[in-house]
Amino acid sequence: ESGEGKAKAERMFSLMDGFLKNDPISLQKDILDHVEYTVARSRFSFDDFEAYQAVSHSVRDRLIERWHDTHAYFKRKDPKRLYFFSLEFLMGRSLSNSVINLGVRDQYADALNQLGFEFEVLAEQEGDAAQGNGGLARLSACQMDSLATMDFPAWGYGLRYQYGLFRQVILDGFQHEQPDYWLNFGNPWEIERIHVSYAVKFYGTVEEQDLNGGKRKVWVPGEMVEAVAYDNPIPGYGTRNTINLRLWAAKPSDLYDMESYGTGDYINAVINRQKAETISSVLYPDDRSYQGKELRLKQQYFFVSASVQDIIRRFKDSLNDFNQFPEKVALQLNDTHPSLAIPEVMRVLVDEEFLSWKQAWDIVCKIFSCTTHTVVPEGLEKIPVDLLGSVLPRHLQIIFDINFSFMEELKKHFGLDFNRLSQMSIVEEGAVKSIRMANLSIVCCHTVNGVSRVHLDILKTKVFKDFYELWPQKFHYKTNGVTQRRWLVVSNPGLCGLISKWLGTDAWIRDMDLLMGLRDHAGDAELQQEWKMVRRINKIRLAEFIDAMTGMMVSPDAMFDVQIKRIHEYKRQLLNILGIIYRYDCIKNMKESDRRKVVPRVCIIGGKAAPGYDMAKKIIKLCHAVGETINNDSDIDDLLKLVFIPDFNVSVAELVIPGSDLSQHISTAGHEASGTGSMKFLMNGCLLLATADGATIEIIEEIGEDNMFLFGAKVHEVPKLREKAENHRVALQFARVLRMVRDGYFGYEDYFKSLCDSIEGGGDFYLLGNDFASYLEAQAAADKAFVDQERWTKMSILSTAGSGRFSSDKTVGEYAHQTWGIEPCRCPF
Ligand code: 7GP
């Protein structure tokens, strides 16, 4: 550095008090300063919410210090970086997670106590950041936490929606959707970077121009929108590393002059400009049916284009030779939503950086990898060619060119097998000619990952069979994982303390394999006693929450049986409800002497239905109708309760999971790509009642079949069972409970008719009838195990002990090593 620069830096440093301090007095001072100057309340009078705001800002200051240091360090070392592209990140709340990862949880709690506040109470003031739908989006959030904790030089990129996932309101048992205008109260967890912005182009035409004797393509856009960065620091645990999640918001672009000829004209022009902001205004609430809407396409391209510009700028800051691009950049596509990044990188390299097509293609083939999260064919995105050609004319040409070369390669490989060619083509012919985004991704990515072992099998043998035959080396899987920081340390401090006590260390927070050490103590009466105590306290907390949300009193002595996840036919919440009706019917018809043997249950269901998903909405209504009958039946009393928890989200999950005894993961085998909820329950010592689907198959390997309640058809049996038009094995009980619904026992028989029709006769695609008998058996086995509390507690401890393999640290480590080729880059403390 120059002498002048150094002198300036020294003077700056002398003006500073050094880094922020974390002793209780310094923290109190910082919090009060934020009350006064940031929140602009008097430090002598502020409420819980204002205290939350001030505390958050003081935590944010600490995040910013580390985030600056991390980026300065990355810049200096210039390692290969991972860029994680996802249209959805389901972050939930940030305060508790941040103070835990920063290692200042206790200091804050003390500081607040001395100011007369309780940390827990303030943490509850925070709203959820719900910038995503379900599993895919929460997985991205867990992986960001692991990337930071494991010191990987990674960036997340996504969209900053003004409206997150809708709030679910239940009126008379029906779901209603309310907009989630989550930024209303400010968001201390993001940093607006008005100077980090890029113009994103849409529409227009492609012109050919002469260039040094050759031709080149120039895209003349019809619309420009500005993408402005909002940075969300992601702190790692036990490290100074704090990485960045950069989300883009749309703002009107200044690049176009307006010329107006009157006041009305001018006003309209301004209003039209303002419309640019709609691109990032709202998250699409469907998690797996593709709509083919223009706005969605614009969202995808908007975030992809801004991110690619950002990455290329960063690359050029240090190097100028694109041949080295693959040594510095790994680009991960979270499902096909960001796959426009592929033609976008081609376009930038060829049209703007003037590389040859071949050079650009070589680079593209080295940098991209993707993960697919579904087996449902309706989930595969297809963009109508007309739409793509109008919004992104140059990209359509590039995709056609990629496809042309791909088809030539295929012909060499398979000959003129037109059937195969048309199935594998990126372009789907037909009534609506479309671009298959999955095919585009597979052609261009060096690696395609599934999210569990069985998911990869299904991709290889069904969904992408042809591609697997062509490129077997491209297909891999990384079993999903979840972060133990949020799903144990933040959400279950009681159990967390107990685990550390018995393991004699808290090192498992960074190394989950250590949990296996609990196996040695699973039979220990003292541990069992303490384990039960902690779990009971969590159940009481959940019971209080249920009371607050629904006005229903439930007893913590009962077994808490939980199914929380998006409502979907393949996840079979309906099977659960029919099982509950069966239980109800049995209790009603029991002799008094038998009633005493019944294990009391509180059945808890929660989840959102996509606004246009009729069957899912009917399932929610049925749950309420059945609950209404059961909960008000004085014959039943405390033996059975059915609770629907409204507006299920990340923070609700944090409360419900630690308080559950039994949790259900009962998808029709072959439909749940992985499932991650099960892993959160497992960590928290909740027993699983499950089908052998997705990651459950691997969970069985870790904890053994006799530590859970397994039932139902296996993946390989499902196709055969479906072939039978008539389902022979449908249990009598199944017909009986279905009849109760049809006959209007719970009211609304007309409304429920189509729901009943969907699972009766040959139409029972998800095999509820087939699996019902074995489902009931598994439920009975759970009852039996629960009576023997010693056995149950042992199973519970063994579940936690076997959950180490399902930490996202493990998943991310495998991705880093096998797919991305990145190394840790740890910022010195
Ligand atoms: C989900 C899968 O349904 C779930 O099984 C998996 O655990 C999770 O992704 C994470 O991999 N899929 C989605 O949430 C989704 O939106 C559509 O898929 C592409």
Side-chain angles (χ1 to χ4, degrees):
E1 247 181 301
S2 70
E4 200 188 325
K6 209 168 170 192
K8 197 172 155 199
E10 266 164 24
R11 179 169 151 66
M12 290 295 188
F13 204 77
S14 73
L15 285 174
M16 248 172 91
D17 281 342
F19 291 120
L20 293 170
K21 295 180 187 62
N22 295 321
D23 59 280
I25 297 291
S26 307
L27 287 180
Q28 288 175 60
K29 191 173 163 303
D30 287 356
I31 294 167
L32 290 178
D33 279 353
H34 277 297
V35 169
E36 185 93 19
Y37 305 118
T38 307
V39 186
R41 296 293 297 175
S42 156
R43 54 181 80 211
F44 301 105
S45 139
F46 55 99
D47 63 18
D48 283 346
F49 181 70
E50 288 149 0
Y52 154 73
Q53 288 181 300
V55 168
S56 302
H57 277 280
S58 78
V59 174
R60 167 193 159 114
D61 293 343
R62 284 158 177 78
L63 288 170
I64 289 174
E65 278 183 352
R66 295 174 182 227
W67 177 78
H68 277 146
D69 291 355
T70 309
H71 286 100
Y73 191 69
F74 286 175
K75 194 167 173 169
R76 190 143 64 79
K77 292 277 167 182
D78 196 26
K80 181 175 183 181
R81 292 171 179 83
L82 163 72
Y83 296 106
F84 186 94
F85 280 26
S86 179
L87 212 55
E88 302 186 10
F89 289 89
L90 201 40
M91 304 303 282
R93 290 175 174 156
S94 286
L95 177 58
S96 294
N97 189 244
S98 298
V99 294
I100 281 173
N101 282 16
L102 294 176
V104 293
R105 163 74 175 67
D106 295 344
Q107 292 89 322
Y108 266 97
D110 286 351
L112 284 169
N113 259 330
Q114 289 171 35
L115 291 174
F117 289 91
E118 211 182 310
F119 181 82
E120 296 303 328
V121 175
L122 301 195
E124 301 264 303
Q125 300 290 316
E126 184 175 355
D128 273 37
Q131 308 264 298
N133 274 283
L136 166 150
R138 182 54 229 177
L139 185 77
S140 309
C142 282
Q143 294 187 342
M144 288 304 291
D145 183 82
S146 291
L147 284 165
T149 298
M150 298 170 79
D151 302 315
F152 285 117
W155 287 67
Y157 277 106
L159 257 190
R160 176 182 180 270
Y161 302 102
Q162 274 174 303
Y163 293 86
L165 184 60
F166 65 87
R167 295 217 178 86
Q168 180 191 53
V169 177
I170 305 289
L171 292 176
D172 192 25
F174 292 99
Q175 168 178 299
H176 293 256
E177 298 89 27
Q178 264 180 10
D180 168 49
Y181 193 66
W182 70 299
L183 296 165
N184 231 353
F185 296 102
N187 177 11
W189 306 108
E190 66 183 8
I191 301 155
E192 183 185 29
R193 325 269 332 252
I194 29 182
H195 59 286
V196 183
S197 78
Y198 300 96
V200 177
K201 304 181 241 185
F202 295 101
Y203 307 107
T205 51
V206 179
E207 290 172 8
E208 277 207 353
Q209 288 180 357
D210 289 319
L211 175 84
N212 313 330
K215 294 267 183 224
R216 74 176 185 114
K217 299 280 199 321
V218 178
W219 176 18
V220 183
E223 184 186 73
M224 299 262 243
V225 179
E226 202 69 16
V228 177
Y230 284 75
D231 286 349
N232 298 256
I234 310 288
Y237 178 91
T239 170
R240 194 168 176 78
N241 279 38
T242 297
I243 59 175
N244 196 16
L245 169 59
R246 179 162 282 178
L247 304 178
W248 302 103
K251 299 278 156 84
S253 169
D254 280 340
L255 289 177
Y256 275 137
D257 283 341
M258 303 189 311
E259 195 182 20
S260 32
Y261 302 96
T263 305
D265 215 24
Y266 165 75
I267 297 289
N268 281 333
V270 172
I271 289 173
N272 274 331
R273 267 169 52 93
Q274 202 62 29
K275 285 194 184 134
E277 294 193 18
T278 52
I279 291 182
S280 57
S281 64
V282 52
L283 166 77
Y284 275 84
D286 302 76
D287 52 349
R288 64 204 80 221
S289 66
Y290 182 65
Q291 311 270 323
K293 290 285 188 292
E294 176 168 299
L295 177 58
R296 171 77 167 185
L297 177 64
K298 288 179 83 173
Q299 290 187 336
Q300 295 182 342
Y301 180 65
F302 174 75
F303 115 75
V304 155
S305 165
S307 310
V308 168
Q309 292 184 61
D310 203 36
I311 292 167
I312 289 188
R313 181 197 45 77
R314 188 167 307 115
F315 173 76
K316 284 181 153 185
D317 273 354
S318 71
L319 289 169
N320 224 335
D321 173 8
F322 274 97
N323 290 318
Q324 285 175 289
F325 201 60
E327 283 143 50
K328 293 294 175 192
V329 173
L331 221 153
Q332 164 73 18
L333 306 175
N334 199 24
D335 221 279
T336 59
H337 314 151
S339 53
L340 285 166
I342 295 164
E344 173 65 359
V345 171
M346 281 304 285
R347 185 189 71 79
V348 172
L349 294 183
V350 174
D351 294 359
E352 293 178 2
E353 302 293 340
F354 309 123
L355 270 62
S356 71
W357 179 273
K358 166 133 191 1
Q359 275 176 307
W361 179 247
D362 284 347
I363 292 169
V364 161
C365 291
K366 285 184 193 147
I367 61 174
F368 281 104
S369 57
C370 70
T371 297
T372 147
H373 296 267
T374 186
V375 295
V376 190
E378 307 90 88
L380 299 179
E381 292 187 293
K382 288 177 198 163
I383 303 183
V385 163
D386 289 346
L387 177 63
L388 191 62
S390 126
V391 179
L392 301 171
R394 177 65 181 131
H395 295 78
L396 184 62
Q397 292 179 347
I398 291 173
I399 292 172
F400 280 145
D401 289 347
I402 293 174
N403 197 43
F404 180 80
S405 317
F406 172 54
M407 287 291 121
E408 291 304 304
E409 191 184 333
L410 272 189
K411 281 180 210 157
K412 272 189 230 142
H413 208 274
F414 294 115
L416 292 180
D417 178 347
F418 286 113
N419 221 349
R420 196 186 274 261
L421 292 186
S422 77
Q423 274 167 32
M424 295 179 77
S425 172
I426 297 171
V427 184
E428 182 177 84
E429 306 290 339
V432 185
K433 192 168 169 179
S434 319
I435 301 300
R436 297 168 170 147
M437 300 312 266
N439 296 26
L440 175 67
S441 303
I442 300 173
V443 170
C444 306
C445 287
H446 58 78
T447 305
V448 179
N449 274 298
V451 290
S452 72
R453 192 175 63 222
V454 71
H455 183 220
L456 174 65
D457 285 342
I458 294 169
L459 296 179
K460 290 199 307 205
T461 54
K462 298 211 179 72
V463 192
F464 301 132
K465 185 166 180 285
D466 294 323
F467 284 101
Y468 178 68
E469 279 166 26
L470 180 64
W471 293 313
Q473 73 286 357
K474 274 196 189 192
F475 289 82
H476 299 265
Y477 74 96
K478 310 276 175 285
T479 302
N480 282 166
V482 301
T483 168
Q484 67 268 33
R485 268 78 60 186
R486 179 168 300 255
W487 296 108
L488 258 178
V489 186
V490 172
S491 62
N492 200 346
L495 201 68
C496 174
L498 191 59
I499 293 170
S500 299
K501 177 182 151 193
W502 281 79
L503 291 178
T505 170
D506 63 5
W508 58 271
I509 302 175
R510 283 177 62 96
D511 179 4
M512 275 284 271
D513 281 341
L514 294 174
L515 286 190
M516 270 187 269
L518 287 174
R519 285 186 181 147
D520 302 339
H521 309 289
D524 190 307
E526 196 185 321
L527 171 59
Q528 289 198 358
Q529 197 48 39
E530 294 178 357
W531 196 268
K532 269 200 298 209
M533 281 283 282
V534 166
R535 296 193 46 77
R536 188 169 173 87
I537 291 167
N538 292 335
K539 284 178 76 171
I540 292 171
R541 188 173 64 149
L542 174 52
E544 283 165 358
F545 177 72
I546 290 173
D547 182 20
M549 296 304 286
T550 66
M552 228 159 90
M553 305 286 259
V554 298
S555 160
D557 293 327
M559 184 202 294
F560 285 9
D561 164 351
V562 178
Q563 189 180 20
I564 42 172
K565 46 185 87 225
R566 280 301 279 255
I567 311 290
H568 205 288
E569 285 162 287
Y570 85 80
K571 293 181 188 281
R572 299 201 293 191
Q573 281 90 356
L574 187 51
L575 179 63
N576 186 357
I577 298 169
L578 294 176
I580 294 167
I581 298 176
Y582 174 77
R583 182 175 287 267
Y584 168 68
D585 191 45
C586 288
I587 298 174
K588 259 196 108 66
N589 295 318
M590 248 175 215
K591 290 190 302 238
E592 192 52 42
S593 58
D594 286 336
R595 289 171 65 99
R596 263 178 276 127
K597 292 185 210 138
V598 173
V599 176
R601 281 233 194 185
V602 178
C603 299
I604 299 165
I605 297 180
K608 293 177 184 177
Y613 192 170
D614 197 38
M615 284 300 175
K617 289 187 142 176
K618 290 191 179 196
I619 292 171
I620 292 177
K621 174 62 187 171
L622 180 64
C623 182
H624 283 91
V626 173
E628 186 76 20
T629 304
I630 297 179
N631 301 336
N632 295 315
D633 188 333
S634 54
D635 279 357
I636 299 299
D637 211 24
D638 264 358
L639 292 184
L640 183 60
K641 291 272 176 256
L642 172 53
V643 182
F644 186 90
I645 295 192
D647 202 33
F648 175 62
N649 61 18
V650 174
S651 54
V652 171
E654 286 174 42
L655 204 133
V656 173
I657 293 170
S660 314
D661 295 303
L662 185 72
S663 75
Q664 302 199 33
H665 309 278
I666 57 176
S667 51
T668 314
H671 284 265
E672 192 67 272
S674 163
T676 46
S678 53
M679 301 166 180
K680 299 163 194 166
F681 283 103
L682 190 72
M683 279 179 189
N684 283 276
C686 171
L687 304 197
L688 309 187
L689 190 145
T691 47
D693 197 16
T696 304
I697 297 178
E698 290 156 69
I699 293 179
I700 299 169
E701 290 167 5
E702 293 301 301
I703 66 168
E705 247 182 73
D706 23 311
N707 262 310
M708 57 197 287
F709 308 99
L710 209 58
F711 76 99
K714 302 278 186 283
V715 175
H716 66 273
E717 296 166 348
V718 166
K720 283 205 193 69
L721 289 166
R722 260 184 203 144
E723 271 169 26
K724 299 183 198 158
E726 185 86 334
N727 232 321
H728 297 298
R729 289 181 45 205
V730 167
L732 275 177
Q733 305 100 311
F734 185 71
R736 182 174 158 79
V737 292
L738 207 56
R739 183 106 322 267
M740 287 170 75
V741 179
R742 279 202 189 278
D743 289 352
Y745 196 98
F746 308 101
Y748 301 90
E749 59 255 53
D750 292 340
Y751 181 71
F752 293 138
K753 181 174 183 307
S754 58
L755 196 58
C756 297
D757 290 345
S758 76
I759 53 169
E760 226 164 12
D764 183 12
F765 185 76
Y766 294 107
L767 301 176
L768 279 75
N770 181 79
D771 281 353
F772 196 62
S774 82
Y775 176 71
L776 296 182
E777 280 167 31
Q779 284 286 13
D783 282 327
K784 203 169 153 218
F786 196 74
V787 177
D788 181 354
Q789 275 293 305
E790 200 176 305
R791 173 170 165 224
W792 185 278
T793 307
K794 187 169 175 194
M795 288 169 82
S796 166
I797 297 171
L798 289 174
S799 296
T800 305
S803 65
R805 178 165 154 203
F806 306 100
S807 163
S808 45
D809 296 350
K810 192 148 272 184
T811 318
V812 158
E814 288 171 3
Y815 271 110
H817 187 64
Q818 298 163 15
T819 302
W820 302 326
I822 55 167
E823 299 284 339
C825 183
R826 188 176 171 94
C827 179
F829 250 100

